[in-house]
Amino acid sequence: MKAIIAPSVLSADFANLQRDVQMLNESEADWIHVDIMDGMFVPNLSFGLPVTEAIARHASKPLDVHLMIEKPDRYIEAFRAAGASIISVHQEACVHLHRVIQQIKDTGCQAGVALNPSTPVTVLEDIIADIDLVCLMSVNPGFGGQKFIENTYKKVRQLKEIITDSGSKALIEIDGGVNAQNAPLLRQAGADVLVAGNFVFKSQDPIRTIHELKNV
Ligand code: DX5
Ligand code: ZN
């Protein structure tokens, strides 16, 4: 099976968002990755509900919403209403992760959990059967265009083992610094979903770059 490709609109041209979303519609992208930052959980601000809603209005593909915010339970229903199909929350931001996962599922969205580079994948052992997606951060969340952290390969392999042993159907998503060099290695290690921001949007021909990632 081919990888699921989820370009991150964080690296799109915000003044031409409709054009860039249209480009993704016409490409081999499977999902559209939407990065929400609150300036608290991460040191940066991105955008919020109205922009997500505007993206959803033009997108013909599912929105994969990555909440890099504190207490994300406050905004689950709102992001569902704004058009999210998949919602990921950070394990580090949820004291009651199990409850938040159920809250996401109750809206009808697929539920994802994101892990910072310093968080071991073993924290998910007791929740893995309940989740649809694990988003492994391969950079420290907060900014596009950062360098891929090599330790991620080991985490993908460990997580794959946890998923297989538990019989969970969770997909493994990699987020941060993904490019044509590390994509094949990530796939070999067990990654199912590749997020790419800069590598897609700063390339000469984004449609071709997405094709390249899709066929690694
Ligand atoms: C980082 C975001 C990523 C980011 C990826 O905080 O969660 O989704 O947009 O961008 P690149 O591919 O440029 O690292
Ligand atoms: Zn992201």
Side-chain angles (χ1 to χ4, degrees):
M1 230 184 73
K2 288 185 178 180
I4 292 170
I5 305 300
S8 166
V9 287
L10 186 65
S11 299
D13 178 353
F14 290 167
N16 287 289
L17 209 40
Q18 184 178 350
R19 181 201 66 191
D20 284 359
V21 170
Q22 192 55 41
M23 179 278 290
L24 295 178
N25 289 344
E26 289 161 15
S27 77
E28 287 172 72
D30 299 279
W31 300 346
I32 298 178
H33 188 81
V34 177
D35 285 307
I36 308 297
M37 303 178 183
D38 67 352
M40 293 292 286
F41 180 72
V42 289
N44 198 11
L45 289 163
S46 59
F47 52 82
L49 289 159
V51 174
T52 304
E53 222 171 83
I55 294 169
R57 225 176 305 125
H58 297 287
S60 62
K61 307 195 171 172
L63 299 194
D64 171 34
V65 174
H66 176 193
L67 297 180
M68 286 163 274
I69 65 176
E70 286 186 359
K71 299 193 177 78
D73 51 292
R74 296 170 296 161
Y75 289 104
I76 303 297
E77 285 78 14
F79 276 101
R80 173 53 165 171
S85 292
I86 304 142
I87 297 179
S88 295
V89 294
H90 268 265
Q91 183 272 340
E92 302 87 357
C94 298
V95 177
H96 302 291
L97 184 60
H98 184 273
R99 181 181 291 149
V100 182
I101 297 301
Q102 299 312 316
Q103 190 188 351
I104 296 172
K105 288 180 161 180
D106 287 347
T107 67
C109 280
Q110 289 193 286
V113 177
L115 296 183
N116 285 336
S118 63
T119 304
V121 292
T122 48
V123 294
L124 297 179
E125 266 169 356
D126 291 295
I127 193 97
I128 197 74
D130 297 294
I131 61 187
D132 301 299
L133 178 89
V134 178
C135 175
L136 284 186
M137 293 308 303
S138 38
V139 298
N140 287 294
F143 303 92
Q146 301 181 82
K147 194 175 172 294
F148 179 83
I149 296 172
E150 299 284 326
N151 187 55
T152 309
Y153 299 119
K154 185 194 86 183
K155 291 179 77 175
V156 179
R157 287 192 295 270
Q158 287 177 339
L159 178 60
K160 189 76 186 173
E161 211 172 300
I162 292 172
I163 290 172
T164 309
D165 288 353
S166 70
S168 159
K169 298 259 184 298
L171 298 174
I172 301 178
E173 177 177 68
I174 310 301
D175 188 4
V178 171
N179 58 36
Q181 277 71 54
N182 54 35
L185 301 171
L186 288 165
R187 290 285 289 152
Q188 276 165 29
D192 306 292
V193 186
L194 302 175
V195 174
N198 257 41
F199 186 65
V200 166
F201 283 98
K202 306 297 177 214
S203 72
Q204 287 291 340
D205 184 349
I207 294 220
R208 206 188 152 76
T209 304
I210 292 166
H211 173 80
E212 201 182 326
L213 284 175
K214 185 77 191 168
N215 291 286
V216 291

